[in-house]
Amino acid sequence: MKQSRVVNVLFLAPCVFAFLMIIIVPFFFGLYYSMTDWNGVSNVINFVGFKNFMNLFSSPDFLYSFLITIGFTIINILLVNIVSFSLSLVVTSKLRRRNFYRAGFFVPYLIGGIVLGYIWQFILNNILIDVGAALSIGFLQTSFLSLPNTVIWTMSVVNTWQYAGYIMLIYVASIQSIPSSLMEAANVDGANYRTRVFKILIPMMANAFTISIFLTLTTSFKQFDMNLTLTNGGPATRFLGAPVKASELLAMNICNTAAANRMAEAQSKAVVLFVVLLIVSLIQVTINKRKEVEM
């Protein structure tokens, strides 16, 4: 018994050590640096307490990034999960070549966010504009990425195109775990397809919705690579009387702040992002888990 415990400890030790050195220790160092005036260059570090956090809420660029990140996340949760669930119904139906479609819908997820951003930037800034000019379609002759009112929606559509196939697989696995006899019995009883989906399928897939919404929420809050290559934060707009970047999500705002040698300020923004994401995720999972029990 003692020998097995020693073996278990030895196997766990490298993972625990890596977790401590990569996650836990940097996290507490980050908390400390967020309460200093560290600029990433000077060796002189002064403790300033919560000054950095207080300044954030008077900073137009941070407030704007925070608000559009929330909006981007809400749009993504709705779009990704609606599209993913719809695709899962298609690929689990009696449609011919459904396995081919399943693979096809998943392929965009395999494209990295950096490459994805450049591909869609070319499509939106060149191909669609050329098509609009050739066919005299007015709204296509201006890039959706150049308008502050449409850029977040465009980013959400691109993100949905990439991420929906992955979330679809979660729904597919959940649908396949439901006994087909239930759907068949409901069909015999006269329930139409819409009734079977909303009254039987969706309630029995509550755990899949919990997982999918959680993954979509956390991924949207932390979105960076696609934001960088697709828009690089542009175009410019104004918020609270100050110029800001219309599509600069919070992760990108943190990175740009750090690149400007305002490391302590960037770290304080990262702490705020962590706390908000933790609270929102816990609330979402708790609410969904309660619904699972009720269903």
Side-chain angles (χ1 to χ4, degrees), residues 51-266:
K51 181 180 177 181
N52 291 325
F53 294 96
M54 295 172 64
N55 291 339
L56 292 183
F57 298 99
S58 60
S59 172
D61 69 309
F62 172 76
L63 291 175
Y64 183 80
S65 293
F66 187 83
L67 291 174
I68 63 168
T69 300
I70 293 175
F72 177 75
T73 301
I74 293 172
I75 296 170
N76 273 342
I77 289 174
L78 294 174
L79 279 182
V80 170
N81 286 280
I82 290 172
V83 172
S84 300
F85 181 67
S86 301
L87 294 178
S88 69
L89 293 178
V90 171
V91 300
T92 54
S93 66
K94 295 181 180 179
L95 183 71
R96 292 181 60 187
R97 298 181 180 177
R98 57 184 179 273
N99 290 332
F100 172 78
Y101 293 124
R102 189 179 301 182
F105 293 145
F106 181 74
V107 165
Y109 180 73
L110 302 178
I111 303 174
I114 299 293
V115 177
L116 177 82
Y118 285 126
I119 291 173
W120 276 94
Q121 184 189 81
F122 178 77
I123 293 172
L124 293 165
N125 289 346
N126 296 277
I127 295 178
L128 286 184
I129 291 178
D130 290 342
V131 170
L135 301 178
S136 298
I137 302 175
F139 72 92
L140 286 181
Q141 295 179 27
T142 302
S143 173
F144 295 116
L145 299 178
S146 65
L147 303 174
N149 295 330
T150 60
V151 65
I152 294 299
W153 289 94
T154 306
M155 288 171 56
S156 298
V157 170
V158 173
N159 181 76
T160 301
W161 181 83
Q162 180 193 28
Y163 204 57
Y166 172 70
I167 300 299
M168 175 198 72
L169 294 183
I170 298 175
Y171 289 132
V172 168
S174 181
I175 290 173
Q176 291 178 336
S177 68
I178 298 173
S180 58
S181 58
L182 290 175
M183 301 294 283
E184 292 171 0
N187 188 31
V188 171
D189 290 339
N192 57 32
Y193 182 73
R194 182 177 179 277
T195 302
R196 295 198 301 271
V197 169
F198 283 93
K199 298 297 183 180
I200 298 175
L201 206 61
I202 291 179
M204 296 194 70
M205 292 174 60
N207 59 337
F209 283 103
T210 300
I211 296 169
S212 299
I213 293 174
F214 172 79
L215 290 175
T216 311
L217 187 152
T218 53
T219 302
S220 300
F221 256 104
K222 298 184 295 182
Q223 182 61 253
F224 174 76
D225 48 0
M226 184 265 288
N227 187 196
L228 175 67
T229 56
L230 185 63
T231 68
N232 196 26
T237 187
R238 297 188 70 84
F239 179 73
L240 297 179
V244 295
K245 293 183 176 181
S247 66
E248 186 182 62
L249 299 179
L250 198 49
M252 189 176 189
N253 181 264
I254 293 170
C255 182
N256 289 338
T257 303
N261 288 335
R262 288 145 51 199
M263 293 292 184
E265 182 183 342

